[in-house]
Amino acid sequence: GIALHTGRGNVTAGPGEAQEFFTGASFSPGGRTIFALPSRNLKGESNIILSVEDLPNQLSVRESLDLVVTEYGVASLTGKTIRERALALIDIAHPDDREMLVASAKKNHLLFPDQAYLPESGHFYPQELVFTQTFKDGLTVRFRPIRPSDVDEMRRLFYRFSDEAVYYRYFSPIKTMPHARMQEYVNVDYRNTMSIVGLVGEPGEGRIIAEARYVRTPGTPFADLAFVVDEAYQGKGIATFLFMTLIKIAKDRGIEGLKADVLSTNKSMIKVLEKAPYPVQAVLDSGVYELKIPLSEKLASE
Ligand SMILES: CC(C)(COP(=O)(O)OP(=O)(O)OC[C@H]1O[C@@H](n2cnc3c(N)ncnc32)[C@H](O)[C@@H]1OP(=O)(O)O)[C@@H](O)C(=O)NCCC(=O)NCCS
């Protein structure tokens, strides 16, 4: 729900007018209700809270509220479960408030007990890494760094994979992707691990159809690459674009080289990596290509 602040000196509307506005939006063709607010109020308290039960001027508009916007992004609530809404709203809360919100939402059984929280994920979210690209057949894909609230979309993507795609990505025929395991993929620090997702569909109702990441290997100048593209969208150049993007991000962040372990039968992944604008070194070991792409001159000459 929403509680409206109707303090003195503010431009305000009462709950009645807000309700009419919401109804008007839902009756308009293509109409959406968008609620924009700063993540914190003037006293520095979170505007995103667990419940508005104790506040005056409440509106119970859960079903008709589509998008909530703060300076940290957009939470799309349409068609989402209570748990998904809680995660989406926490993602746009002030980073210093997110830990408290996750903890209290867990306590109140709004989130699963195994819900992870990584302080870095809120503080270092790279807002600047957002872009849109058009591919073969006019397909437009929006890209942005992964967020903790992507957990359900990422699990849906996993369950759309064929057995072959799962094997190529995880090197083992895993059949399930439980919530607990997906936590480690969606809660990243954007420093040692960087992950970019690609979405199609209307902003706010997007479906994740691609994910690419690198993970720094401790004690080495390298980071390990991994990619996955929804089979319905393969062959359009999405992985190639993500590869070039990750090279740029890695270079900007001082990573000296990239590595990938690729099964020797995985022709499309090899084709993508061969497009690197750097010389690729390959070693074949028990059916797996260990590919190294030096980004720095120092590594290239070693
Ligand atoms: C590998 C993968 C990420 C590629 O994604 P994609 O978006 O389809 O890749 P792109 O469209 O950018 O490029 C694919 C290239 O492989 C080529 N290709 C596709 N299938 C091929 C095949 N069977 N044999 C040879 N080349 C093939 C395409 O023609 C294209 O090359 P081109 O641009 O020169 O024509 C995707 O297939 C995937 O998700 N596979 C399962 C998971 C996986 O293997 N991950 C990699 C582990 S690190």
Side-chain angles (χ1 to χ4, degrees):
I2 285 181
L4 286 183
H5 176 63
T6 52
R8 245 175 287 139
N10 280 346
V11 180
T12 54
E17 287 85 21
Q19 192 68 58
E20 280 170 8
F21 174 77
F22 276 72
T23 312
S26 49
F27 279 122
S28 312
R32 295 207 209 180
T33 43
I34 303 171
F35 207 82
L37 74 173
S39 64
R40 285 180 159 181
N41 64 22
L42 289 177
K43 291 185 210 142
E45 300 156 343
S46 182
N47 271 335
I48 309 275
I49 52 178
L50 200 68
S51 158
V52 294
E53 244 166 54
D54 301 332
L55 298 178
N57 298 321
Q58 283 176 36
L59 287 177
S60 188
V61 287
R62 187 191 294 156
E63 290 74 19
S64 48
L65 182 58
D66 296 316
L67 301 169
V68 180
V69 184
T70 72
E71 68 277 28
Y72 293 102
V74 182
S76 159
L77 306 183
T78 318
K80 298 239 164 102
T81 64
I82 306 266
R83 180 178 55 83
E84 289 169 334
R85 282 160 190 262
L87 275 181
L89 288 170
I90 291 170
D91 265 1
I92 60 161
H94 191 284
D96 289 340
D97 297 330
R98 292 182 200 175
E99 188 160 15
M100 168 275 291
L101 286 168
V102 168
S104 52
K106 271 163 88 163
K107 215 164 107 207
N108 285 276
H109 308 294
L110 290 184
L111 297 179
F112 289 142
D114 62 14
Q115 177 63 46
Y117 180 74
L118 204 64
E120 291 88 343
S121 94
H123 285 103
F124 301 130
Y125 187 81
Q127 304 257 21
E128 71 284 5
L129 299 180
V130 172
F131 20 79
T132 299
Q133 179 78 12
T134 304
F135 296 94
K136 280 181 201 154
D137 311 325
L139 172 76
T140 301
V141 183
R142 290 172 289 115
F143 295 94
R144 59 163 172 76
I146 203 163
R147 288 175 170 278
S149 60
D150 289 328
V151 61
D152 297 288
E153 258 307 302
M154 286 294 291
R155 290 178 71 204
R156 284 181 205 119
L157 173 64
F158 174 86
Y159 286 111
R160 291 199 297 273
F161 292 157
S162 65
D163 289 349
E164 185 192 63
V166 168
Y167 199 76
Y168 279 158
R169 170 65 180 83
Y170 298 97
F171 284 60
S172 106
I174 49 173
K175 291 280 178 224
T176 58
M177 180 51 76
H179 181 262
R181 175 149 191 211
M182 187 49 92
Q183 291 295 298
E184 66 191 76
Y185 288 105
V186 297
N187 287 281
V188 306
D189 63 7
Y190 310 107
R191 297 195 148 188
N192 293 315
T193 300
M194 177 61 75
S195 161
I196 304 286
V197 290
L199 298 107
V200 293
E202 285 284 300
E205 296 161 20
R207 188 143 51 96
I208 296 181
I209 53 112
E211 192 258 347
R213 64 179 51 214
Y214 66 66
V215 182
R216 279 189 201 233
T217 322
T220 79
F222 286 97
D224 254 305
L225 289 168
F227 296 82
V228 81
V229 176
D230 187 324
E231 276 154 298
Y233 295 89
Q234 288 180 3
K236 294 179 187 288
I238 296 176
T240 305
F241 174 78
L242 279 167
F243 178 43
M244 299 306 162
T245 304
L246 281 183
I247 289 180
K248 186 172 180 312
I249 298 173
K251 273 201 87 167
D252 285 350
R253 287 163 191 246
I255 292 173
E256 291 190 63
L258 294 169
K259 274 194 319 171
D261 288 342
V262 184
L263 287 164
S264 60
T265 47
N266 192 351
K267 298 278 184 295
S268 40
M269 191 67 236
I270 292 168
K271 203 138 183 202
V272 170
L273 294 171
E274 276 174 349
K275 292 183 192 160
Y278 299 91
V280 181
Q281 302 157 3
V283 177
L284 183 61
D285 183 12
S286 341
V288 177
Y289 275 113
E290 296 168 3
L291 300 163
K292 278 189 181 171
I293 306 150
L295 303 180
S296 72
E297 277 175 23
K298 183 170 155 268
L299 273 192
S301 59
E302 270 176 16

